[in-house]
Amino acid sequence: MSITTKKALLKKVECAYIPVRDVAVSAAWYEEVLGLKRRSPLEPGRGAILLLGDGQWLFLLPCSDGAAAVFETTGWTDNGEAYEMFPLCFETEDIEGLHASLTGAGAWVEESIRDEGSCGKQLTFKDPDGNKFQAWQQL
């Protein structure tokens, strides 16, 4: 059996779509707490586009049923227990500052930053709509 190498047809994640109940309230939170910049003015009934530090777009889209970007998996823990998983992991250059900003805003955030050795420093947090994310900083 021969192994063929195929060039990856996907290069990177350019943008992500996040469900929120109130776009204006959520956009303000992402700006104030996470330091993201809004790309364009808010329009009633529409979403908001926020810019990450390297220019990727984060879309906040209205979701009236309150669904959050999170799912349960047994593939994340060593013992196979169910875990509420985050669908996105962000990179940061200031994980301590991120932790302090989240804590100061009263967000759900892990109590302490984890040092995962070669996987860097990590923390998990939620936005006000219950969307769960991980952030990591390379060592």
Side-chain angles (χ1 to χ4, degrees):
M1 176 188 278
S2 66
I3 298 176
T4 60
T5 304
K6 183 173 182 173
K7 179 182 176 187
L9 298 175
L10 301 176
K11 181 178 175 182
K12 66 180 179 177
V13 175
E14 184 61 31
C15 58
Y17 303 92
I18 307 299
V20 298
R21 287 183 291 272
D22 185 319
V23 173
V25 169
S26 294
W29 187 88
Y30 277 77
E31 288 175 300
E32 293 167 17
V33 177
L34 302 180
L36 303 185
K37 304 295 181 216
R38 197 174 311 162
R39 183 177 181 276
S40 56
L42 293 176
E43 296 179 34
R46 306 284 300 175
I49 301 171
L50 300 169
L51 299 173
L52 299 176
D54 279 352
Q56 295 86 1
W57 293 12
L58 189 66
F59 285 81
L60 303 180
L61 296 174
C63 180
S64 59
D65 69 3
V70 62
F71 62 96
E72 193 170 284
T73 182
T74 57
W76 188 249
T77 60
D78 291 335
N79 60 8
E81 285 187 16
Y83 179 79
E84 183 185 66
M85 189 68 185
F86 45 88
L88 292 172
C89 177
F90 297 104
E91 183 176 359
T92 181
E93 294 177 345
D94 183 8
I95 202 159
E96 286 84 7
L98 174 61
H99 189 268
S101 184
L102 290 163
T103 302
W108 181 93
V109 63
E110 288 180 318
E111 188 173 318
S112 60
I113 297 166
R114 297 182 321 281
D115 184 342
E116 297 290 345
S118 64
C119 290
K121 293 180 179 181
Q122 300 176 5
L123 66 84
T124 306
F125 67 96
K126 291 183 180 181
D127 73 4
D129 290 286
N131 297 303
K132 189 175 185 181
F133 306 108
Q134 184 179 62
W136 78 283
Q137 180 176 343
Q138 190 173 12
L139 297 177

